[in-house]
Amino acid sequence: MSVTVNLSPDEVAQIKRFTDLKNENDAVTKAVREFLRVVQLRELKAASGKVDYHEAGEAMEGLELRERHLNQ
């Protein structure tokens, strides 16, 4: 899927620096995926005590496996 995003040159430079990627598309893609991962982890943390720990552990393991797959 293609999405157009308007970012300032400074924002793009920061994203490239933080992701350590030179290609703008790759850098933005990695930054967005990392943002989604962090938000999902926050949601899991917020649900702590409300969710069976076994299920939460499996969800975290799934996130880690997906991240490894995306970074290959």
Side-chain angles (χ1 to χ4, degrees), residues 28-64:
V28 171
T29 298
K30 183 175 182 177
V32 170
R33 287 182 176 151
E34 178 64 13
F35 169 79
L36 293 172
R37 187 184 74 79
V38 168
V39 170
Q40 289 172 339
L41 289 173
R42 284 181 189 159
E43 288 178 348
L44 282 173
K45 185 177 179 183
S48 178
K50 302 174 190 172
V51 177
D52 180 352
Y53 286 105
H54 179 72
E55 290 178 20
E58 288 177 354
M60 300 242 337
E61 182 178 341
L63 286 172
E64 290 174 3

Side-chain angles (χ1 to χ4, degrees), residues 2-3 11 16-17 19 23 27 40 44 60-61 67 71:
S2 178
V3 176
E11 290 170 324
K16 288 167 61 177
R17 189 177 83 236
T19 61
N23 178 282
Q40 289 172 339
L44 282 173
M60 300 242 337
E61 182 178 341
E67 181 179 333
N71 290 329

Side-chain angles (χ1 to χ4, degrees), residues 12-13 15-17 19-28:
V12 173
I15 290 169
K16 288 167 61 177
R17 189 177 83 236
T19 61
D20 199 29
L21 294 170
K22 299 201 183 304
N23 178 282
E24 292 175 358
N25 185 57
D26 292 344
V28 171

